[in-house]
């Protein structure tokens, strides 16, 4: 383990960025492109859209709800073994899913097993990345998370091609082989010890402190609302286009259009997050509001030109909010508590990930179209934007520090002795 007084803002951190790039591609790139399988599962198992939607929702919810487990394992053993174990579980889940004979099998294999693997990979990797950067944290996050956009651009048509040539079972086998590369991503993670670490205490003390921290709790509520509507286009956009008479391949290609815009949005937002003075939460509120408005406008667009324009706009704004969403948390809780903080946020916002897609599918089954689904999804994001305004110093125009708002200054109620101090000293 390398020891540094403060984040190095470079060095091996760029290798961690590379690891996070491929890891985000193999986790959320696959999840975003999984809508291509949606229509195939509906036809293969003859089930309603609401029940099929639970496959992706369970996977997202398990990934987020299990994040504290990944955080705890990373705190005890380091992020490297946790992420490598997660890669094996993810590949195993996809492998078993190729033998499924019912939706229950897919719930258990993709939703539970692969979701558990994602929980052990995503949170520890981004938490490790946050500890390597301070001044350039938003840019590093933006570069790392561009893997989602690039992989979405490639995976959506690739998965559709695999479905056309190998059917859904063969396609899942190849997705399993692809997911095994998460093991190599984990091998690149090198733990970093910072001077702030002894001050913040152990996991139990950190969690207690976080649960009494008002801004952290409000931020968690905001991300939960955002998460409820965020994934709806990636689950149901292809099905919505099929309802409008689009062929499968062009519908899947439109997800690739969103992925290109997503890529540009992540890099631009990461650069702006470090360049614009003031709290990063203000940029997050801007991108979240724009994303909510765009989602609510989807039912209005019937012409292909309008749908393409909306999808490009959605890809940019939804991609732009992601790096700043992860950059806000270290400002609130500090790098010393980032593992526990990110784990708790991911666990609570799993409620939104669990309910969002099934609610959208239910509204589709009740109304016969996706109009209400997209409007409700946009409303959830707008509600999250309203909560973000309540964060401390939201309207401050001076450059924020990398310290949390009050957790570092107040630390913990009980000070933890530094290694060189005597056990009996305060």
């Amino acid at each position: 383990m390398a020891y540094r007084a403060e984040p190095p803002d470079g060095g091996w951190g760029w290798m961690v960025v590379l690891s996070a790039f491929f890891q985000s591609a193999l986790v959320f790139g696959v999840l975003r492109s999984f809508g291509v399988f949606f229509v195939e599962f509906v036809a293969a198992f003859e089930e309603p859209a609401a029940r099929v939607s639970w496959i992706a929702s369970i996977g997202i919810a398990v990934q987020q709800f299990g994040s504290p487990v990944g955080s705890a394992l990373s705190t005890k053993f380091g992020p490297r073994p946790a992420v490598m174990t997660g890669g094996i579980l993810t590949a195993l889940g996809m492998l078993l899913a190729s033998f499924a004979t019912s939706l229950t099998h897919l719930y258990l294999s993709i939703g539970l097993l692969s979701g558990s693997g994602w929980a052990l990979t995503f949170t520890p990797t981004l938490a490790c990345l946050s500890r390597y950067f301070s001044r350039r944290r938003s840019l590093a996050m933006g570069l790392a998370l561009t893997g989602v956009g690039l992989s979405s651009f490639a995976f959506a048509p690739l998965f559709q091609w695999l479905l056309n040539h190998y059917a859904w079972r063969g396609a899942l086998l190849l997705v399993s082989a692809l997911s095994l590369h998460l093991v190599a991503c984990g091998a690149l993670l090198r733990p970093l010890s910072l001077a702030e670490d002894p001050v913040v205490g152990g996991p139990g003390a950190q969690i207690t402190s976080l649960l009494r921290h008002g801004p952290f709790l409000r931020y968690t509520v905001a991300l939960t609302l955002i998460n409820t509507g965020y994934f709806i286009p990636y689950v149901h956009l292809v099905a919505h286009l099929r309802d409008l008479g689009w062929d499968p391949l062009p519908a899947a290609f439109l997800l690739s259009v969103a992925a290109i815009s997503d890529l540009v949005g992540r890099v631009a937002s990461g650069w702006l997050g470090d360049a614009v003075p003031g709290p990063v939460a203000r940029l997050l509120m801007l991108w979240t509001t724009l994303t909510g408005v765009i989602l609510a406008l989807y039912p209005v667009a019937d012409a292909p030109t309008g749908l393409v324009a909306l999808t490009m706009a959605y890809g940019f704004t939804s991609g732009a909010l992601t790096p700043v969403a992860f950059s806000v948390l270290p400002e609130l809780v500090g790098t010393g508590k980032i593992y526990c903080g990110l784990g708790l946020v991911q666990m609570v916002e799993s409620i939104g990930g669990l309910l969002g897609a099934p609610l959208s599918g239910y509204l589709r089954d009740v109304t016969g179209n996706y109009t209400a689904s997209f409007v409700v999804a946009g409303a959830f994001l707008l509600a999250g934007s309203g909560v973000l305004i309540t964060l401390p110093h939201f309207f401050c125009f001076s450059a924020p520090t990398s310290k949390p708002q009050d957790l570092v200054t107040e630390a913990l109620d009980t000070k933890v002795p530094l290694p060189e101090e005597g056990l009996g000293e305060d």
Side-chain angles (χ1 to χ4, degrees):
M1 178 182 293
Y3 177 82
R4 295 292 295 264
E6 58 185 23
D9 266 315
W12 189 261
W14 295 116
M15 295 302 295
V16 178
V17 170
L18 179 66
S19 172
F21 172 86
F22 285 108
Q23 176 269 141
S24 63
L26 294 171
V27 175
F28 283 99
V30 171
L31 273 172
R32 284 186 168 196
S33 305
F34 223 71
V36 177
F37 287 91
F38 181 85
V39 178
E40 298 295 327
F41 290 153
V42 170
F45 298 104
E46 298 180 349
E47 296 282 358
R51 291 198 62 192
V52 177
S53 299
W54 279 98
I55 300 172
S57 292
I58 292 174
I60 295 171
V62 171
Q63 178 266 316
Q64 294 174 332
F65 194 77
S67 292
V69 178
S71 298
L73 292 175
S74 298
T75 302
K76 184 172 181 61
F77 302 107
R80 181 178 293 161
V83 173
M84 295 177 73
T85 302
I88 295 173
L89 291 177
T90 302
L92 181 61
M94 293 293 178
L95 175 65
L96 294 176
S98 66
F99 299 98
T101 58
S102 68
L103 281 185
T104 303
H105 295 160
L106 294 178
Y107 294 159
L108 295 174
S109 57
I110 297 176
L112 184 59
L113 193 55
S114 291
S116 299
W118 294 328
L120 295 180
T121 59
F122 186 70
T123 301
T125 301
L126 290 193
C128 182
L129 174 62
S130 296
R131 293 168 62 82
Y132 270 91
F133 291 90
S134 176
R135 292 181 295 105
R136 292 182 283 186
R137 182 179 291 131
S138 293
L139 177 60
M141 283 287 182
L143 292 174
L145 294 173
T146 53
V148 179
L150 285 174
S151 60
S152 298
F153 173 74
F155 286 172
L158 172 63
F159 289 173
Q160 186 63 57
W161 185 87
L162 292 176
L163 286 169
N164 293 340
H165 287 78
Y166 300 104
W168 64 270
R169 296 185 187 274
L172 285 177
L173 279 174
L174 294 172
V175 174
S176 172
L178 198 63
S179 299
L180 199 58
H181 289 79
L182 286 169
V183 177
C185 295
L188 288 175
L189 300 181
R190 179 186 295 172
L192 179 67
S193 178
L194 299 175
E196 183 183 341
D197 293 346
V199 179
V200 298
Q206 293 181 39
I207 292 174
T208 301
S209 181
L210 289 169
L211 292 178
R212 291 185 294 183
H213 186 234
F216 171 78
L217 296 177
R218 294 196 298 273
Y219 183 66
T220 302
V221 171
L223 286 191
T224 302
L225 293 170
I226 293 170
N227 201 47
T228 304
Y230 182 84
F231 289 99
I232 299 305
Y234 293 102
V235 177
H236 289 143
L237 180 58
V238 172
H240 173 60
L241 296 175
R242 295 286 294 273
D243 287 348
L244 296 179
W246 285 48
D247 292 330
L249 198 56
F253 183 75
L254 195 58
L255 289 180
S256 299
V257 173
I260 297 175
S261 299
D262 178 284
L263 174 65
V264 177
R266 287 170 191 263
V267 177
S269 178
W271 177 79
L272 285 173
D274 293 330
V276 176
V280 184
R282 191 162 53 242
L283 271 179
L284 177 59
M285 189 277 293
L286 171 64
W287 300 129
T288 303
T289 301
L290 292 175
T291 304
V293 171
I294 291 168
L295 283 178
L297 291 176
Y298 256 108
V300 180
D302 292 327
T305 304
L307 286 167
V308 171
L310 274 180
T311 302
M312 291 180 64
Y314 169 78
F316 183 89
T317 57
S318 64
L321 71 85
T322 306
V324 291
F326 290 106
S327 296
V328 169
L329 191 59
E331 292 184 3
L332 290 176
V333 305
T335 55
K337 295 185 178 72
I338 189 62
Y339 279 111
C340 287
L342 188 55
L344 282 176
V345 167
Q346 292 270 291
M347 181 184 72
V348 176
E349 72 174 352
S350 67
I351 299 172
L354 179 65
L355 299 179
L359 174 61
S360 178
Y362 171 77
L363 293 173
R364 162 65 175 83
D365 293 336
V366 171
T367 62
N369 56 55
Y370 285 98
T371 297
S373 301
F374 283 104
V375 171
V376 171
F380 275 113
L381 271 88
L382 293 175
S385 298
V387 178
L388 290 173
I389 298 177
T390 68
L391 294 180
H393 310 299
F394 182 85
F395 298 101
C396 175
F397 288 89
S398 62
T401 65
S402 60
K403 300 290 185 183
Q405 300 297 339
D406 48 21
L407 284 182
V408 164
T409 56
E410 296 180 3
L412 300 171
D413 294 335
T414 303
K415 181 183 176 185
V416 179
L418 294 173
E420 62 269 18
E421 292 176 331
L423 294 178
E425 296 179 0
D426 184 6

